[in-house]
Amino acid sequence: MAFDIEMIKKVYAEMPAKVDSARKALGRPLTLSEKILFSHLHGHQAPADFERGKTYVDFAPDRVAMQDATAQMALLQFMQAGRPKVAVPSTVHCDHLITAKVEAKKDLQVANAESKEVYDFLASVSNKYGIGFWKPGAGIIHQVVLENYAFPGGLMIGTDSHTVNAGGLGMIAIGVGGADACDVMAGLAWELKWPKLIGVKLTGKLSGWTAPKDVILKVAGILTVKGGTGAIVEYFGEGATNMSCTGKGTICNMGAEIGATTSTFGYDASMGRYLAATDRAEVAQLADGISAYLNADPEVYEAPEKYFDQVIEINLNELEPHLNGPFTPDLATPISKMKEMAAANNWPTKIDVGLIGSCTNSSYEDISRAVSLAKQVTEKGLKIKSEYTITPGSEQVRYTIERDGFLASFHNIGATVFANACGPCIGMWDRVGAEKQERNTIVHSFNRNFAKRADGNPNTLAFVASPELVTALAIAGDLTFNPITDFLTNEKGEQVKLDEPTGQELPPRGFAVEDAGFQAPAADGSGINVQVDPASNRLQLLDPFKAWEGTDLKGLKLLIKAKGKCTTDHISMAGPWLKFRGHLDNISNNMLIGALNFFNEKTDYVKNQLNGEYGAVPATQRAYKAVGIGSIVVGDENYGEGSSREHAAMEPRHLGVRAILVKSFARIHETNLKKQGMLALTFNDKNDYDKIQEDDTINIEGLTLFAPGKSLNLVFQHADGSADTIVVNHTYNEQQIEWFKAGGALNIIRKQVAG
């Protein structure tokens, strides 16, 4: 069944005229990304030759998707907006709060008991406001969206950075914070800086051990974790059309790891096949009717350097399987080079665990290729050397692979099947022995491999690879094993070689499922009451943030000067902290506890300038807040990379941090800070980072003249009586400055709806 088919029909009916109008306004051919963006301009926004990376533009997304961890805060904000129903199709997916520990059934039972309060809250809010609700166990948000909601040429936003997965079905799908989702659900325009464009031309065809995952692992190595910031990555060429739809989804999904706004592919036959296989043949027929508008104009792909800001070309015939990591997803190593890289870096080569699945690599095709290797363990007399786990992406995939015998094959080699949820990918893995913090190596098909990400152990080295390569490495138990060239010794002492993986793009007998886990909302939710227990430690109704005082900010203290990589995991950890995602005060106790203090090289250990003592970051900030003193946080490059979690912006706001000053921001985090009424500032001269001292008191000057493009001055008064005045920049436009003055965008929304 195609959800929201009337909405899709409307998008397709209007798209040709809108694209033609934009092409005429610009006087040149258009990329696919531009076609989708121009066809989704908000009603008051006329098409124009917007400056890439500079101009803020208002859009009208087709839909909103939220996962349970971020949906709590998004819906708590929406409840304040005063609307009786969401303005666009919206969904909630319960996938983040299920801990992977024993196996699927038992872990799901525990989650349903432990998080009943949260699930009941999300179900009731969804029911009241017209939001589709996917129950715990239904699957990971991005897989469920791909199977049910994504459609070529659409524009969607989601409160998870990997919303970009839907680009595999030709969408522009963008990860945002809950405040952005709240705007769109309230019927307001959604603002985005007009993206730059990166074109990736794929030639040749994947074969043998090389998989779609290797394309994005290669791209990550080229662009690094911030090379895609502010840009849409558009893939094209024969290599793209030769690839499955779910393979395209894998590539788009991990585009979040290069900082890209999103990634996408043009509509082709593989997307049509996937739509038909997932009971959406009607959508495929509609897309076929306007396929020229669901691809770039031919001139673009003939001379891409004229239309993209950067062009990368990858020959899939020559692409090698890659392993990326550890500790960063852009450290790309071809499998043939891993032996020397591991030796040079003293990486443990014994693989303790291999994990496949997650939102990016849990398609039928992925599982079928992995199972073709699992079967060889028995057939070739081998014994798997590492622990091995599978995380199906949805109940539909899980049910189908069980029907087709795949799960039995995995069980035969001792594998553990976890629940249809995020699990280890987001740190929801209760791994036995992780508390010992022993140095060890794991390989997985997830996206991120930051320190502590999977199991909480800072000494776990995690490497990212395709499900096929993860399976082969788990069988061998050795990080340096190259399945293309190397042999294994079986239980009889014979030398055997793994055959290349094989699989099916789609299930030959079709998908099947008994209960997909969907719960439709009430037709009229006006009589439904949403209750939040004031004594709850999981949920807390929000109070509006205070408006700006109208003056420059004086006497601020330095809370922390963070050194090096500071992701949203460092600012607001997941794992066991996920349980507090609906309670702002409780979750604020994890604020910046993972950030490395420049002055002592320790985490969660900063100087309290009120008493000179060192202690935890949240406790220190609470001490400042208690006496009415604000503070600032200083950071390094690409501050806030990683997840979309707006808690990383709301926690500092809640505890009284007034400004974040960094060398550069990740896109989503900068927007989240602005939405919450925070000052997001960057050094005009990055060397000024070195001038900031531990005991500094700071004044922010120029706020009474706060204006787009106008720099501010920060005065750092040092303990020895000297001072440094530095120039800082910002990217606020007029509307965003109003957010700051009002104390947050939600305060403005509330007034608009009420008035």
mmCIF file of all heavy atoms in Angstrom, residues 323-369:
data_model
loop_
_atom_site.group_PDB
_atom_site.id
_atom_site.type_symbol
_atom_site.label_atom_id
_atom_site.label_comp_id
_atom_site.label_asym_id
_atom_site.label_seq_id
_atom_site.Cartn_x
_atom_site.Cartn_y
_atom_site.Cartn_z
ATOM 1 N N LEU A 323 37.986 -0.790 4.337
ATOM 2 C CA LEU A 323 37.730 -0.761 5.771
ATOM 3 C C LEU A 323 38.039 0.660 6.232
ATOM 4 O O LEU A 323 39.135 1.154 5.988
ATOM 5 C CB LEU A 323 38.648 -1.736 6.507
ATOM 6 C CG LEU A 323 38.217 -3.198 6.638
ATOM 7 C CD1 LEU A 323 39.405 -4.020 7.122
ATOM 8 C CD2 LEU A 323 37.086 -3.317 7.645
ATOM 9 N N ASN A 324 37.093 1.310 6.876
ATOM 10 C CA ASN A 324 37.329 2.670 7.352
ATOM 11 C C ASN A 324 37.398 2.704 8.870
ATOM 12 O O ASN A 324 36.534 2.155 9.548
ATOM 13 C CB ASN A 324 36.234 3.617 6.868
ATOM 14 C CG ASN A 324 36.388 3.990 5.408
ATOM 15 O OD1 ASN A 324 36.946 3.247 4.622
ATOM 16 N ND2 ASN A 324 35.882 5.157 5.039
ATOM 17 N N GLY A 325 38.405 3.371 9.390
ATOM 18 C CA GLY A 325 38.564 3.504 10.824
ATOM 19 C C GLY A 325 39.984 3.212 11.240
ATOM 20 O O GLY A 325 40.876 3.067 10.390
ATOM 21 N N PRO A 326 40.204 3.160 12.570
ATOM 22 C CA PRO A 326 39.218 3.285 13.644
ATOM 23 C C PRO A 326 38.987 4.738 14.069
ATOM 24 O O PRO A 326 39.721 5.623 13.635
ATOM 25 C CB PRO A 326 39.885 2.514 14.785
ATOM 26 C CG PRO A 326 41.356 2.784 14.579
ATOM 27 C CD PRO A 326 41.546 2.821 13.074
ATOM 28 N N PHE A 327 37.970 4.954 14.870
ATOM 29 C CA PHE A 327 37.665 6.210 15.560
ATOM 30 C C PHE A 327 37.173 7.345 14.662
ATOM 31 O O PHE A 327 36.773 8.381 15.163
ATOM 32 C CB PHE A 327 38.858 6.687 16.404
ATOM 33 C CG PHE A 327 39.316 5.681 17.414
ATOM 34 C CD1 PHE A 327 40.653 5.325 17.515
ATOM 35 C CD2 PHE A 327 38.409 5.053 18.261
ATOM 36 C CE1 PHE A 327 41.084 4.385 18.444
ATOM 37 C CE2 PHE A 327 38.823 4.119 19.202
ATOM 38 C CZ PHE A 327 40.167 3.778 19.287
ATOM 39 N N THR A 328 37.212 7.165 13.364
ATOM 40 C CA THR A 328 36.680 8.177 12.452
ATOM 41 C C THR A 328 36.262 7.474 11.165
ATOM 42 O O THR A 328 36.965 6.574 10.691
ATOM 43 C CB THR A 328 37.712 9.291 12.185
ATOM 44 O OG1 THR A 328 37.113 10.320 11.395
ATOM 45 C CG2 THR A 328 38.951 8.765 11.484
ATOM 46 N N PRO A 329 35.133 7.848 10.597
ATOM 47 C CA PRO A 329 34.633 7.115 9.433
ATOM 48 C C PRO A 329 35.291 7.491 8.109
ATOM 49 O O PRO A 329 34.933 6.937 7.074
ATOM 50 C CB PRO A 329 33.137 7.472 9.413
ATOM 51 C CG PRO A 329 33.058 8.795 10.100
ATOM 52 C CD PRO A 329 34.139 8.802 11.119
ATOM 53 N N ASP A 330 36.244 8.415 8.131
ATOM 54 C CA ASP A 330 36.871 8.830 6.870
ATOM 55 C C ASP A 330 38.298 8.309 6.702
ATOM 56 O O ASP A 330 38.961 8.630 5.710
ATOM 57 C CB ASP A 330 36.848 10.355 6.741
ATOM 58 C CG ASP A 330 37.574 11.058 7.882
ATOM 59 O OD1 ASP A 330 37.927 10.387 8.869
ATOM 60 O OD2 ASP A 330 37.775 12.285 7.784
ATOM 61 N N LEU A 331 38.793 7.507 7.647
ATOM 62 C CA LEU A 331 40.122 6.911 7.507
ATOM 63 C C LEU A 331 39.969 5.642 6.666
ATOM 64 O O LEU A 331 39.710 4.557 7.172
ATOM 65 C CB LEU A 331 40.722 6.599 8.875
ATOM 66 C CG LEU A 331 42.126 5.988 8.887
ATOM 67 C CD1 LEU A 331 43.112 6.859 8.122
ATOM 68 C CD2 LEU A 331 42.599 5.767 10.324
ATOM 69 N N ALA A 332 40.099 5.821 5.351
ATOM 70 C CA ALA A 332 39.745 4.761 4.392
ATOM 71 C C ALA A 332 40.974 3.941 4.004
ATOM 72 O O ALA A 332 41.983 4.492 3.555
ATOM 73 C CB ALA A 332 39.114 5.384 3.152
ATOM 74 N N THR A 333 40.851 2.637 4.156
ATOM 75 C CA THR A 333 41.943 1.731 3.818
ATOM 76 C C THR A 333 41.436 0.617 2.901
ATOM 77 O O THR A 333 40.551 -0.142 3.295
ATOM 78 C CB THR A 333 42.544 1.087 5.083
ATOM 79 O OG1 THR A 333 42.971 2.118 5.992
ATOM 80 C CG2 THR A 333 43.730 0.198 4.726
ATOM 81 N N PRO A 334 41.970 0.500 1.682
ATOM 82 C CA PRO A 334 41.617 -0.658 0.843
ATOM 83 C C PRO A 334 42.049 -1.939 1.553
ATOM 84 O O PRO A 334 43.070 -1.949 2.264
ATOM 85 C CB PRO A 334 42.428 -0.431 -0.436
ATOM 86 C CG PRO A 334 42.801 1.027 -0.422
ATOM 87 C CD PRO A 334 42.926 1.402 1.021
ATOM 88 N N ILE A 335 41.289 -3.002 1.374
ATOM 89 C CA ILE A 335 41.579 -4.233 2.100
ATOM 90 C C ILE A 335 42.987 -4.749 1.811
ATOM 91 O O ILE A 335 43.642 -5.333 2.682
ATOM 92 C CB ILE A 335 40.512 -5.320 1.792
ATOM 93 C CG1 ILE A 335 40.686 -6.539 2.709
ATOM 94 C CG2 ILE A 335 40.535 -5.710 0.326
ATOM 95 C CD1 ILE A 335 40.509 -6.244 4.179
ATOM 96 N N SER A 336 43.504 -4.484 0.619
ATOM 97 C CA SER A 336 44.845 -4.956 0.266
ATOM 98 C C SER A 336 45.939 -4.232 1.044
ATOM 99 O O SER A 336 47.077 -4.700 1.110
ATOM 100 C CB SER A 336 45.088 -4.774 -1.234
ATOM 101 O OG SER A 336 45.043 -3.398 -1.592
ATOM 102 N N LYS A 337 45.599 -3.086 1.632
ATOM 103 C CA LYS A 337 46.586 -2.298 2.374
ATOM 104 C C LYS A 337 46.437 -2.446 3.885
ATOM 105 O O LYS A 337 47.213 -1.871 4.648
ATOM 106 C CB LYS A 337 46.443 -0.810 2.011
ATOM 107 C CG LYS A 337 46.579 -0.496 0.531
ATOM 108 C CD LYS A 337 47.990 -0.714 0.033
ATOM 109 C CE LYS A 337 48.128 -0.275 -1.421
ATOM 110 N NZ LYS A 337 49.483 -0.585 -1.960
ATOM 111 N N MET A 338 45.446 -3.201 4.329
ATOM 112 C CA MET A 338 45.156 -3.253 5.765
ATOM 113 C C MET A 338 46.286 -3.897 6.563
ATOM 114 O O MET A 338 46.575 -3.473 7.694
ATOM 115 C CB MET A 338 43.836 -3.979 6.021
ATOM 116 C CG MET A 338 43.436 -4.060 7.487
ATOM 117 S SD MET A 338 43.508 -2.482 8.388
ATOM 118 C CE MET A 338 42.067 -1.649 7.743
ATOM 119 N N LYS A 339 46.944 -4.889 6.008
ATOM 120 C CA LYS A 339 48.008 -5.563 6.753
ATOM 121 C C LYS A 339 49.107 -4.578 7.136
ATOM 122 O O LYS A 339 49.542 -4.518 8.293
ATOM 123 C CB LYS A 339 48.587 -6.714 5.927
ATOM 124 C CG LYS A 339 49.571 -7.593 6.687
ATOM 125 C CD LYS A 339 49.923 -8.841 5.900
ATOM 126 C CE LYS A 339 48.746 -9.792 5.830
ATOM 127 N NZ LYS A 339 49.095 -11.100 5.197
ATOM 128 N N GLU A 340 49.535 -3.752 6.182
ATOM 129 C CA GLU A 340 50.605 -2.802 6.482
ATOM 130 C C GLU A 340 50.108 -1.651 7.351
ATOM 131 O O GLU A 340 50.841 -1.149 8.214
ATOM 132 C CB GLU A 340 51.236 -2.266 5.199
ATOM 133 C CG GLU A 340 50.298 -1.530 4.262
ATOM 134 C CD GLU A 340 50.989 -1.162 2.947
ATOM 135 O OE1 GLU A 340 51.064 -2.033 2.062
ATOM 136 O OE2 GLU A 340 51.443 -0.007 2.836
ATOM 137 N N MET A 341 48.845 -1.238 7.160
ATOM 138 C CA MET A 341 48.289 -0.162 7.980
ATOM 139 C C MET A 341 48.153 -0.605 9.439
ATOM 140 O O MET A 341 48.454 0.145 10.369
ATOM 141 C CB MET A 341 46.921 0.267 7.441
ATOM 142 C CG MET A 341 46.989 1.195 6.253
ATOM 143 S SD MET A 341 47.563 2.857 6.697
ATOM 144 C CE MET A 341 46.145 3.489 7.587
ATOM 145 N N ALA A 342 47.689 -1.843 9.633
ATOM 146 C CA ALA A 342 47.525 -2.354 10.991
ATOM 147 C C ALA A 342 48.868 -2.463 11.697
ATOM 148 O O ALA A 342 48.992 -2.111 12.883
ATOM 149 C CB ALA A 342 46.828 -3.708 10.954
ATOM 150 N N ALA A 343 49.877 -2.905 10.975
ATOM 151 C CA ALA A 343 51.211 -3.036 11.567
ATOM 152 C C ALA A 343 51.791 -1.666 11.903
ATOM 153 O O ALA A 343 52.372 -1.466 12.984
ATOM 154 C CB ALA A 343 52.131 -3.781 10.605
ATOM 155 N N ALA A 344 51.605 -0.706 10.992
ATOM 156 C CA ALA A 344 52.162 0.633 11.196
ATOM 157 C C ALA A 344 51.519 1.343 12.378
ATOM 158 O O ALA A 344 52.161 2.154 13.055
ATOM 159 C CB ALA A 344 51.992 1.462 9.922
ATOM 160 N N ASN A 345 50.243 1.028 12.647
ATOM 161 C CA ASN A 345 49.514 1.713 13.712
ATOM 162 C C ASN A 345 49.313 0.864 14.967
ATOM 163 O O ASN A 345 48.650 1.303 15.907
ATOM 164 C CB ASN A 345 48.151 2.167 13.188
ATOM 165 C CG ASN A 345 48.260 3.273 12.166
ATOM 166 O OD1 ASN A 345 48.441 4.436 12.510
ATOM 167 N ND2 ASN A 345 48.166 2.907 10.880
ATOM 168 N N ASN A 346 49.854 -0.341 14.936
ATOM 169 C CA ASN A 346 49.735 -1.252 16.081
ATOM 170 C C ASN A 346 48.281 -1.517 16.448
ATOM 171 O O ASN A 346 47.910 -1.560 17.618
ATOM 172 C CB ASN A 346 50.495 -0.698 17.292
ATOM 173 C CG ASN A 346 50.677 -1.746 18.387
ATOM 174 O OD1 ASN A 346 50.776 -2.942 18.105
ATOM 175 N ND2 ASN A 346 50.693 -1.302 19.640
ATOM 176 N N TRP A 347 47.435 -1.707 15.440
ATOM 177 C CA TRP A 347 46.036 -2.034 15.687
ATOM 178 C C TRP A 347 45.917 -3.522 16.033
ATOM 179 O O TRP A 347 46.554 -4.361 15.372
ATOM 180 C CB TRP A 347 45.184 -1.742 14.452
ATOM 181 C CG TRP A 347 45.079 -0.283 14.117
ATOM 182 C CD1 TRP A 347 45.188 0.777 14.967
ATOM 183 C CD2 TRP A 347 44.860 0.271 12.805
ATOM 184 N NE1 TRP A 347 45.036 1.960 14.285
ATOM 185 C CE2 TRP A 347 44.825 1.685 12.962
ATOM 186 C CE3 TRP A 347 44.670 -0.275 11.542
ATOM 187 C CZ2 TRP A 347 44.632 2.541 11.879
ATOM 188 C CZ3 TRP A 347 44.472 0.571 10.460
ATOM 189 C CH2 TRP A 347 44.452 1.974 10.632
ATOM 190 N N PRO A 348 45.126 -3.882 17.017
ATOM 191 C CA PRO A 348 44.896 -5.306 17.288
ATOM 192 C C PRO A 348 44.252 -5.961 16.062
ATOM 193 O O PRO A 348 43.235 -5.478 15.559
ATOM 194 C CB PRO A 348 43.926 -5.295 18.474
ATOM 195 C CG PRO A 348 44.014 -3.921 19.058
ATOM 196 C CD PRO A 348 44.359 -3.008 17.932
ATOM 197 N N THR A 349 44.810 -7.031 15.580
ATOM 198 C CA THR A 349 44.293 -7.650 14.355
ATOM 199 C C THR A 349 43.287 -8.766 14.634
ATOM 200 O O THR A 349 42.574 -9.191 13.729
ATOM 201 C CB THR A 349 45.445 -8.198 13.498
ATOM 202 O OG1 THR A 349 46.212 -9.124 14.268
ATOM 203 C CG2 THR A 349 46.339 -7.060 13.024
ATOM 204 N N LYS A 350 43.244 -9.230 15.865
ATOM 205 C CA LYS A 350 42.228 -10.234 16.216
ATOM 206 C C LYS A 350 40.874 -9.536 16.282
ATOM 207 O O LYS A 350 40.700 -8.553 16.997
ATOM 208 C CB LYS A 350 42.545 -10.881 17.553
ATOM 209 C CG LYS A 350 41.472 -11.860 18.053
ATOM 210 C CD LYS A 350 41.853 -12.437 19.407
ATOM 211 C CE LYS A 350 40.751 -13.323 19.973
ATOM 212 N NZ LYS A 350 39.544 -12.549 20.351
ATOM 213 N N ILE A 351 39.894 -10.050 15.540
ATOM 214 C CA ILE A 351 38.555 -9.459 15.536
ATOM 215 C C ILE A 351 37.698 -10.164 16.574
ATOM 216 O O ILE A 351 37.460 -11.371 16.495
ATOM 217 C CB ILE A 351 37.908 -9.568 14.138
ATOM 218 C CG1 ILE A 351 38.694 -8.733 13.133
ATOM 219 C CG2 ILE A 351 36.450 -9.119 14.184
ATOM 220 C CD1 ILE A 351 38.248 -8.924 11.702
ATOM 221 N N ASP A 352 37.213 -9.395 17.541
ATOM 222 C CA ASP A 352 36.385 -9.978 18.584
ATOM 223 C C ASP A 352 34.943 -10.179 18.133
ATOM 224 O O ASP A 352 34.313 -11.189 18.455
ATOM 225 C CB ASP A 352 36.413 -9.092 19.838
ATOM 226 C CG ASP A 352 37.697 -9.261 20.627
ATOM 227 O OD1 ASP A 352 38.676 -9.777 20.052
ATOM 228 O OD2 ASP A 352 37.726 -8.881 21.809
ATOM 229 N N VAL A 353 34.409 -9.185 17.417
ATOM 230 C CA VAL A 353 33.005 -9.258 16.998
ATOM 231 C C VAL A 353 32.857 -8.672 15.594
ATOM 232 O O VAL A 353 33.457 -7.645 15.270
ATOM 233 C CB VAL A 353 32.063 -8.474 17.953
ATOM 234 C CG1 VAL A 353 30.599 -8.804 17.646
ATOM 235 C CG2 VAL A 353 32.371 -8.759 19.410
ATOM 236 N N GLY A 354 32.034 -9.320 14.794
ATOM 237 C CA GLY A 354 31.596 -8.766 13.518
ATOM 238 C C GLY A 354 30.098 -8.526 13.592
ATOM 239 O O GLY A 354 29.343 -9.410 14.017
ATOM 240 N N LEU A 355 29.658 -7.334 13.218
ATOM 241 C CA LEU A 355 28.248 -6.977 13.332
ATOM 242 C C LEU A 355 27.738 -6.472 11.987
ATOM 243 O O LEU A 355 28.318 -5.547 11.402
ATOM 244 C CB LEU A 355 28.051 -5.885 14.392
ATOM 245 C CG LEU A 355 28.652 -6.134 15.779
ATOM 246 C CD1 LEU A 355 30.008 -5.429 15.919
ATOM 247 C CD2 LEU A 355 27.715 -5.627 16.885
ATOM 248 N N ILE A 356 26.653 -7.063 11.494
ATOM 249 C CA ILE A 356 26.057 -6.574 10.256
ATOM 250 C C ILE A 356 24.628 -6.102 10.523
ATOM 251 O O ILE A 356 24.011 -6.455 11.520
ATOM 252 C CB ILE A 356 26.072 -7.628 9.130
ATOM 253 C CG1 ILE A 356 25.102 -8.783 9.433
ATOM 254 C CG2 ILE A 356 27.476 -8.134 8.876
ATOM 255 C CD1 ILE A 356 24.809 -9.647 8.212
ATOM 256 N N GLY A 357 24.127 -5.312 9.602
ATOM 257 C CA GLY A 357 22.802 -4.731 9.746
ATOM 258 C C GLY A 357 22.935 -3.242 9.950
ATOM 259 O O GLY A 357 23.902 -2.627 9.513
ATOM 260 N N SER A 358 21.988 -2.659 10.616
ATOM 261 C CA SER A 358 21.824 -1.228 10.889
ATOM 262 C C SER A 358 20.986 -0.610 9.801
ATOM 263 O O SER A 358 20.597 -1.251 8.829
ATOM 264 C CB SER A 358 23.151 -0.477 11.047
ATOM 265 O OG SER A 358 23.622 0.034 9.819
ATOM 266 N N CYS A 359 20.737 0.693 9.950
ATOM 267 C CA CYS A 359 19.818 1.362 9.021
ATOM 268 C C CYS A 359 20.354 1.397 7.611
ATOM 269 O O CYS A 359 19.605 1.540 6.647
ATOM 270 C CB CYS A 359 19.536 2.779 9.508
ATOM 271 S SG CYS A 359 20.984 3.852 9.606
ATOM 272 N N THR A 360 21.662 1.287 7.441
ATOM 273 C CA THR A 360 22.242 1.427 6.112
ATOM 274 C C THR A 360 22.479 0.102 5.411
ATOM 275 O O THR A 360 22.540 0.035 4.199
ATOM 276 C CB THR A 360 23.566 2.206 6.185
ATOM 277 O OG1 THR A 360 24.151 2.259 4.898
ATOM 278 C CG2 THR A 360 24.539 1.539 7.109
ATOM 279 N N ASN A 361 22.650 -0.971 6.134
ATOM 280 C CA ASN A 361 23.025 -2.234 5.507
ATOM 281 C C ASN A 361 22.192 -3.398 6.020
ATOM 282 O O ASN A 361 22.712 -4.409 6.481
ATOM 283 C CB ASN A 361 24.505 -2.530 5.730
ATOM 284 C CG ASN A 361 25.398 -1.861 4.708
ATOM 285 O OD1 ASN A 361 26.232 -1.049 5.046
ATOM 286 N ND2 ASN A 361 25.216 -2.202 3.443
ATOM 287 N N SER A 362 20.868 -3.251 5.935
ATOM 288 C CA SER A 362 20.007 -4.332 6.416
ATOM 289 C C SER A 362 18.940 -4.669 5.385
ATOM 290 O O SER A 362 17.860 -5.124 5.722
ATOM 291 C CB SER A 362 19.359 -3.923 7.737
ATOM 292 O OG SER A 362 18.733 -2.666 7.607
ATOM 293 N N SER A 363 19.257 -4.443 4.131
ATOM 294 C CA SER A 363 18.319 -4.769 3.058
ATOM 295 C C SER A 363 18.345 -6.272 2.784
ATOM 296 O O SER A 363 19.237 -6.997 3.232
ATOM 297 C CB SER A 363 18.698 -4.027 1.784
ATOM 298 O OG SER A 363 19.941 -4.517 1.279
ATOM 299 N N TYR A 364 17.377 -6.718 2.018
ATOM 300 C CA TYR A 364 17.348 -8.131 1.630
ATOM 301 C C TYR A 364 18.618 -8.480 0.862
ATOM 302 O O TYR A 364 19.213 -9.541 1.063
ATOM 303 C CB TYR A 364 16.112 -8.420 0.778
ATOM 304 C CG TYR A 364 15.919 -9.893 0.462
ATOM 305 C CD1 TYR A 364 15.188 -10.712 1.313
ATOM 306 C CD2 TYR A 364 16.483 -10.468 -0.671
ATOM 307 C CE1 TYR A 364 15.021 -12.065 1.046
ATOM 308 C CE2 TYR A 364 16.328 -11.815 -0.957
ATOM 309 C CZ TYR A 364 15.591 -12.618 -0.090
ATOM 310 O OH TYR A 364 15.436 -13.956 -0.358
ATOM 311 N N GLU A 365 19.051 -7.601 -0.006
ATOM 312 C CA GLU A 365 20.262 -7.853 -0.797
ATOM 313 C C GLU A 365 21.484 -8.000 0.104
ATOM 314 O O GLU A 365 22.284 -8.927 -0.064
ATOM 315 C CB GLU A 365 20.483 -6.717 -1.790
ATOM 316 C CG GLU A 365 21.719 -6.918 -2.671
ATOM 317 C CD GLU A 365 21.917 -5.772 -3.647
ATOM 318 O OE1 GLU A 365 21.764 -4.596 -3.240
ATOM 319 O OE2 GLU A 365 22.231 -6.046 -4.823
ATOM 320 N N ASP A 366 21.632 -7.088 1.067
ATOM 321 C CA ASP A 366 22.766 -7.158 1.993
ATOM 322 C C ASP A 366 22.779 -8.478 2.748
ATOM 323 O O ASP A 366 23.818 -9.144 2.853
ATOM 324 C CB ASP A 366 22.685 -6.015 3.013
ATOM 325 C CG ASP A 366 22.973 -4.654 2.407
ATOM 326 O OD1 ASP A 366 23.794 -4.576 1.488
ATOM 327 O OD2 ASP A 366 22.361 -3.671 2.859
ATOM 328 N N ILE A 367 21.624 -8.840 3.296
ATOM 329 C CA ILE A 367 21.546 -10.066 4.091
ATOM 330 C C ILE A 367 21.782 -11.295 3.222
ATOM 331 O O ILE A 367 22.444 -12.260 3.645
ATOM 332 C CB ILE A 367 20.181 -10.164 4.806
ATOM 333 C CG1 ILE A 367 19.953 -8.941 5.717
ATOM 334 C CG2 ILE A 367 20.094 -11.447 5.609
ATOM 335 C CD1 ILE A 367 20.946 -8.770 6.825
ATOM 336 N N SER A 368 21.265 -11.279 1.995
ATOM 337 C CA SER A 368 21.429 -12.448 1.126
ATOM 338 C C SER A 368 22.897 -12.648 0.740
ATOM 339 O O SER A 368 23.374 -13.788 0.633
ATOM 340 C CB SER A 368 20.555 -12.320 -0.130
ATOM 341 O OG SER A 368 21.000 -11.286 -0.981
ATOM 342 N N ARG A 369 23.616 -11.561 0.539
ATOM 343 C CA ARG A 369 25.037 -11.691 0.205
ATOM 344 C C ARG A 369 25.851 -12.155 1.414
ATOM 345 O O ARG A 369 26.792 -12.948 1.277
ATOM 346 C CB ARG A 369 25.570 -10.366 -0.344
ATOM 347 C CG ARG A 369 25.105 -10.092 -1.774
ATOM 348 C CD ARG A 369 25.495 -8.709 -2.272
ATOM 349 N NE ARG A 369 26.930 -8.483 -2.340
ATOM 350 C CZ ARG A 369 27.704 -8.843 -3.353
ATOM 351 N NH1 ARG A 369 27.167 -9.489 -4.399
ATOM 352 N NH2 ARG A 369 28.993 -8.567 -3.352
#
